[in-house]
Amino acid sequence: MKSELLKILRESPEYISGQQLCGHFGVSRTAVWKAIRQLKDEGYKIEALKNKGYRICEIPDIMTAEELKSRLHTEWMGQNCIYLESVDSTNTCAKRLAEEGAPAGTLVVADEQTGGRGRRGREWTASKGSNIMMTLLLRPRINPGNASRLTLLMAMAVAEGIQKVTGLPSGIKWPNDIVVHKKKVCGILTEMSSEIDYINHVVIGAGINVNQECFPEEIGATAGSLGMELGKKICRAELAAEILGELEKLYNIFLQTEDLSALYQNYNRLCVNRNREIRVLEPGNEYTGTAEGINEAGELMVRRADGSMARVYAGEVSVRGLYGYV
Ligand code: ATP
């Protein structure tokens, strides 16, 4: 009831009477009043006028399950939402829930992450209360060998969600970093539990720098936040809901073929490496070339100086621009 109440209050330009709300939810006036009081306790500013009813006048930037669900337009992604004020890692929590039988589409969201991780065990830092830290649990009936492509879907969903909500020109640094004005604003970590031919579960975590205002020195040159690039605060729940909506659409398309045949052109339009000189950093091997975009398998096609084409598989590889991060 709380998430629907929030949606009604937010979308109504006028006061809504207690009576109307009682009728809508089929509950008593006291029940409505209690729900309103709970929302006020959480930080929502709600005006209550005798003979007129309720009106919301300030929406705090919070990422609770109710706030997020009140903004979701998905059929199933994120509808089972677990919000935690603080957690070691949303991916670790989602994996635990998956082992316990949580359904596909379960979303873990946290306001603070104390042990955030990136690829290859690297650290993901994020300040409390200003970023999106979320992990989606999926149980796709696909070949485990194709699951790494899901990471690329999340990258597209984040890039497109950012563009829609903020208007910022977000792009993807292959395979799955999101950049705005050459700054990394999001990292994505996909982890899987599988048998040889069967996926138990996949968790896809996204850490998005939304309203963070400064970064530790080590990453200061490459990291940025959407708020810093836009010059104003952004509503985290609105952005997270938009991303999940995009992802659900992309996922349905992906499942039809298990590859990116219907999506790679869209990915390439967003890819900031495309037609640029890059350095490919493979463990123990580094080379340069021109990135020509991804193919239907999600591999990066890199034209080397001798004219040969390298197909780069995401696994252990990073790419950089010739003179900087992008
Ligand atoms: P790349 O290939 O560009 O090195 P990656 O995909 O391997 O990136 P991730 O797993 O996305 O890296 O993230 C981990 C790295 O991101 C860290 O090693 C650090 O350099 C950087 N990083 C950590 N926290 C943040 C943050 N909040 N914003 C931007 N960058 C960060």
Side-chain angles (χ1 to χ4, degrees):
M1 168 176 161
K2 247 165 70 186
S3 58
E4 201 179 334
L5 175 60
L6 258 179
K7 187 167 190 276
I8 295 175
L9 288 171
R10 203 175 48 233
E11 289 174 358
S12 166
E14 301 293 333
Y15 286 87
I16 299 191
S17 71
Q19 186 100 43
Q20 262 176 296
L21 293 171
C22 293
H24 181 87
F25 291 108
V27 298
S28 68
R29 269 177 177 265
T30 322
V32 168
W33 179 80
K34 267 193 185 158
I36 296 270
R37 199 184 54 187
Q38 276 174 20
L39 290 176
K40 280 183 169 174
D41 289 346
E42 284 167 21
Y44 296 90
K45 295 237 156 56
I46 300 171
E47 219 177 16
L49 277 191
K50 236 187 175 171
N51 301 327
K52 277 194 148 180
Y54 301 103
R55 191 173 71 99
I56 200 157
C57 33
E58 203 179 304
I59 300 165
D61 178 33
I62 57 175
M63 283 288 282
T64 56
E66 282 84 15
E67 176 62 35
L68 197 54
K69 281 170 72 177
S70 77
R71 293 178 183 270
L72 275 180
H73 294 287
T74 57
E75 270 178 35
W76 57 280
M77 279 189 186
Q79 294 295 345
N80 180 34
C81 180
I82 285 106
Y83 166 76
L84 301 158
E85 240 175 71
S86 181
V87 70
D88 51 353
S89 140
T90 53
N91 267 32
T92 306
C93 177
K95 285 193 279 186
R96 202 189 60 241
L97 293 172
E99 299 291 344
E100 291 167 4
T106 296
L107 185 77
V108 179
V109 184
D111 207 36
E112 177 182 39
Q113 219 177 203
T114 53
R117 289 171 290 115
R119 295 196 302 161
R120 289 156 281 167
R122 300 207 269 154
E123 190 189 358
W124 183 260
T125 61
S127 64
K128 182 176 165 57
S130 51
N131 295 322
I132 294 176
M133 285 148 284
M134 64 179 186
T135 298
L136 183 72
L137 163 63
L138 296 173
R139 297 184 184 278
R141 295 282 161 265
I142 61 171
N143 181 329
N146 296 335
S148 65
R149 296 169 183 167
L150 293 168
T151 283
L152 306 183
L153 302 189
M154 179 61 108
M156 289 168 79
V158 173
E160 292 193 346
I162 290 173
Q163 287 184 10
K164 279 205 181 138
V165 171
T166 67
L168 285 166
S170 55
I172 305 170
K173 180 176 87 67
W174 184 86
N176 57 7
D177 288 349
I178 309 303
V179 292
V180 171
H181 302 147
K182 299 192 175 175
K183 297 276 190 180
K184 175 165 169 174
V185 296
C186 167
I188 294 168
L189 178 65
T190 300
E191 297 177 278
M192 173 167 76
S193 154
S194 77
E195 316 294 324
I196 281 182
D197 54 355
Y198 179 84
I199 294 177
N200 298 317
H201 61 257
V202 174
V203 299
I204 312 178
I208 310 174
N209 305 328
V210 184
N211 294 318
Q212 188 157 338
E213 284 172 350
C214 58
F215 291 92
E217 213 181 302
E218 320 83 78
I219 56 170
T222 51
S225 77
L226 302 176
M228 284 159 78
E229 298 308 313
L230 192 65
K232 65 176 188 193
K233 297 247 183 223
I234 292 145
C235 171
R236 288 180 293 163
E238 183 188 355
L239 178 57
E242 189 65 44
I243 290 168
L244 289 166
E246 288 292 325
L247 186 62
E248 194 175 91
K249 281 188 238 157
L250 296 170
Y251 186 66
N252 287 336
I253 296 170
F254 167 77
L255 287 185
Q256 288 170 19
T257 54
E258 294 189 25
D259 69 11
L260 298 164
S261 47
L263 299 169
Y264 76 100
Q265 286 168 325
N266 207 7
Y267 181 99
N268 285 336
R269 267 193 291 277
L270 293 164
C271 182
V272 294
N273 310 108
R274 194 172 177 217
N275 299 328
R276 297 185 77 131
E277 294 290 302
I278 58 163
R279 282 185 295 141
V280 179
L281 314 177
E282 280 173 358
N285 184 25
E286 185 179 326
Y287 59 92
T288 59
T290 307
E292 294 197 350
I294 62 164
N295 59 15
E296 300 185 356
E299 297 157 334
L300 187 66
M301 310 291 281
V302 181
R303 179 78 62 190
R304 304 176 72 155
D306 64 6
S308 65
M309 185 72 90
R311 293 158 168 221
V312 189
Y313 173 75
E316 292 284 297
V317 180
S318 287
V319 300
R320 292 282 183 274
L322 273 200
Y323 306 107
Y325 176 62
V326 178

